[in-house]
Amino acid sequence: MLACLCTVLWHLPAVPALNRTGDPGPGPSIQKTYDLTRYLEHQLRSLAGTYLNYLGPPFNEPDFNPPRLGAETLPRATVDLEVWRSLNDRLRLTQNYEAYSHLLCYLRGLNRQAATAELRRSLAHFCTSLQGLLGSIAGVMAALGYPLPQPLPGTEPTWTPGPAHSDFLQKMDDFWLLKELQTWLWRSAKDFNRLKKKMQPPAAAVTLHLEAHGF
Amino acid sequence: MRSMVDDARIPKPGFWSNWSSWEEADAQNMLGHDPLFVFPKDKLVEEGSNVTICYVSRIHQDNISCYLEGVQIYGEQLDRSVSAFELKNVSFIREKGTNVFCKVDQGGVLGGIVLFVSKVLEEPKDFSCETQDLKTLTCTWDPGSDTGLTKQPSQSYTLFESFSGKKTLCKHRNWCDWQVAQDSQETFNFTLLAENYLRKRSVSILFNLTQRVHPMTPYNLLPKNVGATKATMTWKVHSIGNNSTLLCQLELLAEGKVIQQSNVSIKVNGEYLLSELEPDTEYVARVRCAYTNHFWKWSELISQKFNTAEAAPSEAPDVWRNLKLVSGHPTVSLFWKPLSKVHANGKILFYNVIVENLDKPSRFEVLSIPAPASSTELTLDQCSYQIHVTAHNSVGPSPASVIVVSGDPGNEEVEKGRVNGTEDGFSVSWKPQSGDATGYVVEWCDGPQDLPCVLQWKNLGPNTTSTVIRSGAFRPGVRYNFRIYGISTRRMAHLLEKKAGYLEELAPSDNPQVVMSKLTSRSFTLSWKDYSTESQPGFIQGYHVYLKPKAGEQCHPAFEKTVLPEDSVCCKYTIDNPEQKTFVVENLQPESVYEFIVTPYTSVGEGPLDAFTKVTTLDEYSHTLIHIILPMIFCILIVMIICYLKSQWLKEKCYPDSPNPYKSSVLSLIKSKENPHLTIMYVNDCVPDAIEVINKPEGSKIQFLGTRKSPTETEFTKPAYLYLLPTEKNYSGPGPCICFENFTYNQAASDFASCGHFPVTPQAPRHQLGPLTSPENLLKALEQNYMNSLGEIPAGEANLNYVSQLASPTSGDKDSLPTNPPEPALCSEYKMQTAIPLGLASAPPSENSSLSSTTLLGQGEHCR
């Protein structure tokens, strides 16, 4: 028995799960990404209030829930719970990355048409933060060894205030853009929280590894 | 539809064309498949317009509501699927447009439009053009409201010149540059056109270029050769064209105010000499220029600060003095006021004080006192001194201020008066000094009397006899004393008058400390001599004495009945002389409580009536009683002294130490009764036939003495009877212990411890032992005892216990101790004896009986 224990101790430095002196792994970057989504949630709450007031009633009314008429191109954040649970890490991260890429593009269009300087400043600040989130997601994907999604030719998001698109529908699009952005940030927080927990090796895993190596 | 040409180049008014023919359109078919349409889509209108909104629905439902900015609007239903809403006088809400939308209630169907309401384009105001260099014209205007919306950009401005036919689109909302062509165009006719999607507005001006020259700001404004009173300013201007002249205006400012203004015509370089400047003063010079050929506008100002140089102080310091005696020596305190900035001409570094003895002209003393000191003290003698004071800055000294002082303070007893204070200050006036006064000085202290004096003074001319003394330090309720001096031609000051006054008199805040004295049954005296009228907040005009009478009592006629603030009735007496500080309150009731207060009053009011003092008048007869009691006490004292002096005689008379029946008064009593059976037994005639000798052991005796036990409780040996003649030897010298005892006496009586001899009376009944305090009782007791002893007591019983004591070597007076007293504890013990029946004597004495015996002893000592 003593000999067994000595053998286990002798092999301990060789156990990969306990060797924490090297690369910390994707854990810290996931945590940072999670923190950034929470920060953007907070920032968007203030920005959305200002922007919806800028659009005027009924868009700034709390119970306004218009039909999604012209906002079909916006990436939808809402997804069936079972579907969401069944997503693997790569798909989960890919969806996040693609969604924010689109949302950032639309948001920049929003910034261009904003009339007041103060609003433009707030939108520009938020776009910068969102760009940071996008980079952060890309970092996590790289750390996990996942390739970044390549946009298909012709599907690149563009913001063009088409002449057929009435100003009222444009306001509806703006409303939905902010709403989707809010939902995406909420979903991302859950995504990254889940990913964070998943990437933290539980203590029991060490035991399993020991068993696997020692015996 | 109809049309009209609207162009600035085409003269107004334009004409409308004819209306076109009507065209029909099938709205239902033209629309798509959406269930709800709202029109007009994204309409742009001006503020104040009336707009009709309509919706077309495919749903054919009645539950469609329309809203303007979230507020429901109601319109006219044109048919089942079309409704119209008229919006009148719409106003600008936001750049993003006004939202109008309709929705099917609970159907999730929604349609809307954005109505863009633009502000009305205003005509540009204050449109003008000018040039700085005759090469470029800059036109400016006030654009008014911005009409920009997300649907419409802000209005644009176009500058059009009609003579040259050129136009330029302005990049800015409120100004535009126009390049003057080289062909020397002098006259310009500009039209400024403002336009947006809805409207155009224009404004025109016609001007000559040379009449719109606004020169550029001069530069390089610098002071040169700056002295104490002069400085030269130089500057440069930008040239305008060839050989153009500019008119420049140079202003000199001191403390923010323009004090000099000069106009200089220059081409490029400007120079101007500023004179009449004050030394050591900061100035600001500023320059602006205008085109000389035709004044249009001054250029912007350029400013430059500079300081002039210092100069010697221009005025002598204002000096005053205060004479006093310090340790018997005349001491003069010199004060001077700092020179004003105008007169100091620089920073004062020190003051020179030159003291010249006028009686000894060759002697003088120089003191240098560094600034900012403003006083010094000199100790003088009785000579006269001339004092010169000069202020020095870095350049030189000021003129000297000369004052003459003498060791003699002069006449201090001068006329005193009062001065009235007003809001402006104190208006002080005085009688002009006859003769050669060269001026006057009014001197005062700024602070209250109890604070250190901050000496102030004011110099006045020789023809002045009044002045107003102002000071920010003056406070109401503070007495200020003013002294007016006349200055002689010898520059010596003489006190002329003294004045005192208040800026504003106040009512006294405190009452004097009143001392009450000479209290009788009907009067008392009040005194407040320590009260100082000088340090009060107003001139004390007198005092009010308030007296609260006892209930129902009327005020004395000299008093005035008054009601106090707390509604109590009081008697008031007014003393109108402030120096009268005593008052006698008279005509009071004896043995009555009065309350009084003394309060001073000024012209404003009296002191606080808060602390009345209570006083109770004396009993009317106590005075008489004192007159009776005192003589009586005196008489008693005389009698006591006499008694003391005659005490020996009295003693011999009343209670001699050795009771001698022949001397006793009892004898006379007995004789008076003339009873033949009564006689006096002379001890010398008695021959003692037996002496009872008790052989008492020492131990038992000590025990007896120590424990104070009753003699009956002590065992003793049976007495022995000796036939013995009494001799002196039996009492002297230590010998065997012999004790004459009568056990009817207790230990207290035996504590005398000396073998005294007392007369033994026959049996005294126990009930007669106590009350012998009075002479009568004593006589009765004695009489009865003797009667009993001689008549009633059987002879055998009387003789058996009688022991003669006449041979005692000591006297009964304990104050006169024997020279050789027997050793009481060691030798013998004597117990006082009295003739008590044996039966009674043998009985054990109780506590009470012991006490009675002690009392008896006392009585016996004093009354025998």
Side-chain angles (χ1 to χ4, degrees):
Chain A
M1 189 66 186
L2 186 64
C4 288
L5 187 62
C6 289
T7 311
V8 168
L9 290 173
W10 179 256
H11 284 94
L12 266 182
V15 176
L18 293 178
N19 190 4
R20 300 293 178 93
T21 54
D23 182 18
S29 59
I30 293 171
Q31 178 64 45
K32 280 180 187 172
T33 312
Y34 170 77
D35 293 342
L36 190 56
T37 54
R38 300 309 303 268
Y39 168 69
L40 282 168
E41 265 190 290
H42 167 77
Q43 203 179 345
L44 182 63
R45 214 169 294 137
S46 164
L47 175 68
T50 310
Y51 195 85
L52 294 178
N53 280 334
Y54 166 68
L55 295 182
F59 302 100
N60 59 353
E61 289 170 358
D63 55 349
F64 182 63
N65 189 20
R68 197 180 162 114
L69 294 177
E72 293 303 328
T73 55
L74 284 173
R76 283 179 181 271
T78 49
V79 65
D80 184 72
L81 185 61
E82 289 305 317
V83 174
W84 178 75
R85 278 181 182 158
S86 66
L87 291 173
N88 59 32
D89 294 342
R90 180 179 174 179
L91 201 54
R92 197 182 295 279
L93 286 167
T94 303
Q95 285 186 358
N96 268 277
Y97 187 86
E98 285 176 343
Y100 287 119
S101 298
H102 283 75
L103 290 169
L104 180 61
C105 180
Y106 291 129
L107 206 59
R108 282 177 175 152
L110 207 66
N111 188 17
R112 279 192 289 273
Q113 61 174 331
T116 66
E118 177 64 32
L119 197 57
R120 278 199 294 272
R121 205 160 29 244
S122 300
L123 280 165
H125 182 232
F126 188 81
C127 284
T128 309
S129 302
L130 200 62
Q131 179 72 55
L133 176 65
L134 206 57
S136 193
I137 295 169
V140 172
M141 290 177 76
L144 292 172
Y146 304 142
L148 286 179
Q150 295 299 319
L152 293 173
T155 59
E156 287 181 7
T158 51
W159 185 87
T160 49
H165 213 57
S166 78
D167 285 291
F168 192 80
L169 287 178
Q170 183 61 51
K171 285 190 176 185
M172 296 257 275
D173 287 353
D174 294 350
F175 175 87
W176 274 106
L177 170 60
L178 294 171
K179 189 166 182 176
E180 283 297 347
L181 193 54
Q182 212 158 26
T183 318
W184 265 110
L185 286 169
W186 178 81
R187 174 178 164 176
S188 296
K190 291 189 77 65
D191 281 340
F192 290 111
N193 196 37
R194 186 185 179 92
L195 199 60
K196 188 174 63 176
K197 285 178 181 170
K198 195 174 175 183
M199 288 298 153
Q200 281 176 348
V206 177
T207 313
L208 285 172
H209 279 279
L210 279 172
E211 285 171 354
H213 282 266
F215 300 97
Chain B
M1 182 185 291
R2 63 177 183 171
S3 63
M4 184 184 73
V5 176
D6 184 16
D7 194 316
R9 289 167 290 184
I10 296 174
K12 300 271 176 95
F15 295 98
W16 286 102
S17 68
N18 294 326
W19 288 103
S20 66
S21 58
W22 287 101
E23 293 286 334
E24 285 188 5
D26 184 355
Q28 290 277 359
N29 293 330
M30 287 176 68
L31 297 174
H33 299 287
D34 289 344
L36 186 63
F37 297 91
V38 183
F39 298 101
K41 276 191 176 180
D42 308 333
K43 180 81 174 170
L44 174 65
V45 295
E46 271 190 339
E47 265 190 320
S49 306
N50 297 332
V51 180
T52 302
I53 309 286
C54 72
Y55 73 79
V56 180
S57 166
R58 289 183 181 280
I59 304 170
H60 305 305
Q61 288 179 343
D62 296 333
N63 56 350
I64 297 174
S65 310
C66 291
Y67 299 84
L68 171 67
E69 286 291 305
V71 179
Q72 190 171 0
I73 52 175
Y74 300 94
E76 182 186 358
Q77 190 164 5
L78 301 179
D79 63 16
R80 286 188 60 198
S81 56
V82 181
S83 285
F85 306 87
E86 191 173 1
L87 307 179
K88 289 184 177 177
N89 195 17
V90 291
S91 56
F92 170 81
I93 293 178
R94 70 178 72 79
E95 292 164 357
K96 197 70 178 171
T98 305
N99 301 318
V100 181
F101 70 99
C102 299
K103 66 178 181 180
V104 179
D105 296 343
Q106 300 170 349
V109 176
L110 187 141
I113 58 153
V114 178
L115 180 66
F116 290 94
V117 180
S118 164
K119 290 179 182 173
V120 179
L121 180 65
E122 297 174 45
E123 186 178 274
K125 300 181 194 73
D126 304 328
F127 176 49
S128 72
C129 299
E130 62 188 23
T131 180
Q132 291 186 320
D133 52 5
L134 301 175
K135 294 174 184 170
T136 304
L137 271 167
T138 303
C139 297
T140 57
W141 61 90
D142 174 10
S145 303
D146 185 2
T147 62
L149 301 168
T150 53
K151 194 70 177 176
Q152 168 187 266
S154 296
Q155 68 267 33
S156 64
Y157 292 91
T158 306
L159 199 58
F160 175 74
E161 205 281 309
S162 61
F163 293 120
S164 62
K166 294 178 181 175
K167 70 174 181 180
T168 181
L169 182 64
C170 299
K171 296 174 184 172
H172 308 280
R173 290 185 68 228
N174 58 346
W175 65 275
C176 202
D177 276 343
W178 182 273
Q179 296 300 320
V180 177
Q182 296 296 323
D183 55 0
S184 302
Q185 181 185 355
E186 287 189 355
T187 307
F188 293 83
N189 185 9
F190 279 109
T191 299
L192 179 67
L193 180 68
E195 60 182 322
N196 60 13
Y197 288 173
L198 301 173
R199 192 185 286 267
K200 290 180 182 176
R201 287 291 184 93
S202 64
V203 59
S204 300
I205 52 168
L206 175 68
F207 61 88
N208 194 317
L209 181 67
T210 55
Q211 294 174 356
R212 294 288 186 271
V213 178
H214 184 191
M216 280 192 275
T217 310
Y219 61 102
N220 278 358
L221 175 64
L222 295 170
K224 195 172 75 176
N225 302 329
V226 180
T229 57
K230 291 180 180 177
T232 302
M233 301 304 297
T234 61
W235 69 94
K236 291 184 175 180
V237 293
H238 299 275
S239 62
I240 301 171
N242 298 324
N243 296 322
S244 294
T245 308
L246 291 177
L247 174 69
C248 292
Q249 188 177 64
L250 177 69
E251 288 179 334
L252 187 68
L253 290 88
E255 296 175 350
K257 292 179 183 174
V258 177
I259 56 170
Q260 286 186 29
Q261 194 178 60
S262 310
N263 292 331
V264 186
S265 285
I266 63 168
K267 288 191 179 298
V268 177
N269 295 314
E271 184 175 305
Y272 189 78
L273 175 65
L274 295 167
S275 57
E276 298 178 354
L277 305 180
E278 296 292 339
D280 189 42
T281 305
E282 184 185 271
Y283 290 99
V284 175
R286 63 187 188 189
V287 174
R288 59 182 180 176
C289 299
Y291 193 55
T292 310
N293 293 358
H294 189 278
F295 181 84
W296 166 242
K297 277 181 184 175
W298 286 111
S299 69
E300 297 298 314
L301 284 165
I302 180 173
S303 300
Q304 180 68 49
K305 277 185 189 175
F306 68 97
N307 271 66
T308 50
E310 289 191 0
S314 60
E315 196 165 274
D318 186 359
V319 179
W320 185 235
R321 91 292 179 274
N322 184 30
L323 283 170
K324 60 187 175 185
L325 286 174
V326 176
S327 305
H329 296 286
T331 303
V332 62
S333 297
L334 278 179
F335 302 92
W336 55 87
K337 292 175 184 171
L339 286 172
S340 65
K341 195 175 182 321
V342 176
H343 297 127
N345 292 343
K347 186 183 179 185
I348 299 298
L349 302 175
F350 61 91
Y351 294 90
N352 261 1
V353 178
I354 302 171
V355 184
E356 184 184 357
N357 191 331
L358 292 178
D359 299 332
K360 299 170 187 171
S362 60
R363 297 185 61 183
F364 61 89
E365 187 182 353
V366 179
L367 299 172
S368 184
I369 298 151
S374 61
S375 66
T376 188
E377 209 163 73
L378 305 168
T379 303
L380 309 175
D381 53 21
Q382 296 298 328
C383 300
S384 294
Y385 290 87
Q386 183 163 290
I387 300 170
H388 304 251
V389 180
T390 50
H392 294 247
N393 62 13
S394 63
V395 177
S398 70
S401 181
V402 182
I403 193 168
V404 176
V405 295
S406 168
D408 179 17
N411 180 26
E412 287 286 320
E413 297 300 320
V414 294
E415 187 180 343
K416 293 179 181 174
R418 288 185 181 181
V419 61
N420 292 327
T422 62
E423 287 182 357
D424 291 336
F426 289 95
S427 183
V428 182
S429 60
W430 58 92
K431 294 172 188 169
Q433 193 182 17
S434 58
D436 54 353
T438 60
Y440 297 95
V441 172
V442 181
E443 170 196 291
W444 73 96
C445 286
D446 250 356
Q449 286 179 330
D450 52 346
L451 293 179
C453 174
V454 182
L455 192 68
Q456 305 290 329
W457 70 94
K458 185 176 182 183
N459 278 308
L460 296 150
N463 299 323
T464 312
T465 56
S466 68
T467 185
V468 177
I469 305 294
R470 297 180 180 89
S471 171
F474 288 149
R475 296 282 177 271
V478 177
R479 178 181 286 214
Y480 295 99
N481 295 308
F482 298 91
R483 294 157 73 92
I484 298 129
Y485 292 88
I487 309 297
S488 69
T489 50
R490 290 183 59 237
R491 297 176 182 276
M492 189 173 275
H494 304 281
L495 183 63
L496 300 179
E497 290 180 38
K498 291 180 181 176
K499 305 255 184 191
Y502 294 85
L503 195 66
E504 182 188 345
E505 282 193 73
L506 302 178
S509 56
D510 299 311
N511 291 329
Q513 295 287 325
V514 179
V515 177
M516 190 201 66
S517 59
K518 298 179 184 173
L519 177 65
T520 68
S521 58
R522 292 198 173 270
S523 69
F524 57 85
T525 302
L526 302 176
S527 171
W528 56 95
K529 297 198 173 183
D530 294 336
Y531 185 69
S532 167
T533 55
E534 300 288 319
S535 55
Q536 302 308 319
F539 290 113
I540 301 297
Q541 296 184 342
Y543 306 92
H544 288 147
V545 180
Y546 287 91
L547 187 70
K548 281 187 183 173
K550 54 189 279 191
E553 191 178 342
Q554 294 294 317
C555 290
H556 188 266
F559 281 78
E560 171 193 351
K561 194 172 183 179
T562 184
V563 179
L564 294 180
E566 69 270 20
D567 292 338
S568 62
V569 178
C570 207
C571 302
K572 182 171 88 172
Y573 184 84
T574 302
I575 300 169
D576 53 7
N577 178 11
E579 297 308 317
Q580 181 187 333
K581 296 178 181 178
T582 58
F583 181 70
V584 179
V585 185
E586 295 174 307
N587 302 311
L588 305 175
Q589 295 293 324
E591 277 189 290
S592 300
V593 177
Y594 291 92
E595 290 183 59
F596 69 85
I597 191 170
V598 177
T599 178
Y601 65 91
T602 65
S603 62
V604 179
E606 60 184 4
L609 299 174
D610 49 0
F612 277 77
T613 307
K614 279 189 178 179
V615 61
T616 307
T617 51
L618 297 177
D619 181 9
E620 197 168 18
Y621 300 105
S622 61
H623 194 64
T624 315
L625 280 173
I626 287 170
H627 288 182
I628 295 169
I629 288 168
L630 280 176
M632 280 182 69
I633 292 170
F634 181 73
C635 292
I636 289 167
L637 280 172
I638 295 292
V639 169
M640 287 174 71
I641 291 167
I642 291 170
C643 287
Y644 177 74
L645 295 174
K646 295 295 183 181
S647 59
Q648 197 61 35
W649 177 79
L650 277 172
K651 186 179 177 184
E652 288 296 327
K653 192 69 180 172
C654 297
Y655 50 95
D657 288 341
S658 301
N660 190 341
Y662 291 103
K663 292 181 179 176
S664 172
S665 58
V666 175
L667 188 59
S668 61
L669 287 170
I670 293 169
K671 281 180 180 176
S672 66
K673 296 209 175 189
E674 292 180 354
N675 190 342
H677 301 288
L678 292 175
T679 183
I680 295 169
M681 187 181 69
Y682 294 99
V683 177
N684 290 341
D685 296 342
C686 295
V687 177
D689 54 350
I691 294 174
E692 187 181 352
V693 177
I694 300 167
N695 191 5
K696 191 176 181 181
E698 189 69 19
S700 68
K701 177 191 157 198
I702 292 169
Q703 185 186 7
F704 176 68
L705 290 170
T707 57
R708 293 190 176 221
K709 282 185 179 176
S710 171
T712 54
E713 294 174 29
T714 308
E715 273 196 44
F716 52 84
T717 55
K718 188 179 179 183
Y721 295 90
L722 301 176
Y723 295 94
L724 191 68
L725 287 171
T727 61
E728 292 285 332
K729 291 178 181 178
N730 292 333
Y731 297 96
S732 61
C737 288
I738 300 168
C739 189
F740 301 93
E741 282 200 337
N742 183 337
F743 291 114
T744 59
Y745 286 91
N746 66 2
Q747 185 62 40
S750 66
D751 283 347
F752 280 95
S754 61
C755 296
H757 296 267
F758 290 83
V760 177
T761 55
Q763 291 172 325
R766 190 178 178 85
H767 65 272
Q768 294 176 349
L769 297 179
L772 294 174
T773 52
S774 65
E776 290 80 6
N777 289 345
L778 175 65
L779 290 174
K780 284 178 184 174
L782 288 171
E783 186 178 357
Q784 193 175 356
N785 288 343
Y786 276 91
M787 290 298 287
N788 289 340
S789 63
L790 297 175
E792 296 171 17
I793 298 171
E797 288 179 24
N799 291 336
L800 185 58
N801 282 319
Y802 180 78
V803 180
S804 173
Q805 298 168 10
L806 286 177
S808 170
T810 62
S811 73
D813 187 358
K814 61 184 179 183
D815 292 332
S816 57
L817 291 170
T819 53
N820 188 14
E823 294 294 325
L826 298 173
C827 299
S828 61
E829 187 178 50
Y830 171 72
K831 302 292 183 187
M832 286 191 297
Q833 301 170 40
T834 187
I836 295 173
L838 286 174
L840 187 58
S842 62
S846 66
E847 193 71 22
N848 290 337
S849 64
S850 171
L851 186 63
S852 300
S853 298
T854 307
T855 308
L856 179 63
L857 173 65
Q859 295 293 335
E861 278 187 335
H862 291 92
C863 296
R864 271 181 300 170

